[in-house]
Amino acid sequence: MAIEAGLCEEYLFRAGLQSSLAAWLRSPLAAILIASVIFALMHWPGLYLRGGPGTDGWSTDPLEVAAFCIASLSPIAVLFGVLWARTRSLLLLIMVHGAVDALPNAAGMIRAFT
């Protein structure tokens, strides 16, 4: 699942959106920042609709959830955006994104299989 999310999200946000924004705005930095905020906000529905009490960042106020998504996901999205702008390597981004998604669950998975 971590690889699939990395593949789809990085293709859409970096190869598609960020590259298009950079060409349209003629500013790689603006493209990275805008794509990063949009990337963060695209995670809002999952947290707001599937989260609940005890879930980090969940709230009954949709604006608080949006602010949490932006504050927590935009920094890593900026890193992904810079990696894309510097390397143009979709494979690198997929691997880094997959690792970021998989690492928080690694301890529980290791305990489950040992």
Side-chain angles (χ1 to χ4, degrees), residues 6 15 17 31 48 70 79 87 95:
L17 180 63
Y48 184 71
I70 291 170
L79 171 68
T87 67
M95 290 171 41

Side-chain angles (χ1 to χ4, degrees), residues 2-19 28-29 31-40 43 69 72-104:
I3 297 298
E4 180 270 332
L7 172 67
C8 295
E9 291 179 0
E10 295 311 319
Y11 180 75
L12 175 67
F13 287 99
R14 263 31 94 189
L17 180 63
Q18 182 178 322
S19 295
L29 178 60
I32 290 169
L33 296 176
I34 292 168
S36 295
V37 171
I38 294 171
F39 174 85
H43 289 81
C69 287
S72 63
L73 295 174
S74 287
I76 193 75
V78 167
L79 171 68
F80 293 161
V82 170
L83 280 174
W84 173 251
R86 297 278 179 154
T87 67
R88 294 289 188 206
S89 173
L90 196 56
L91 180 59
L92 173 65
L93 282 167
I94 292 166
M95 290 171 41
V96 172
H97 190 136
V100 168
D101 285 352
L103 284 175

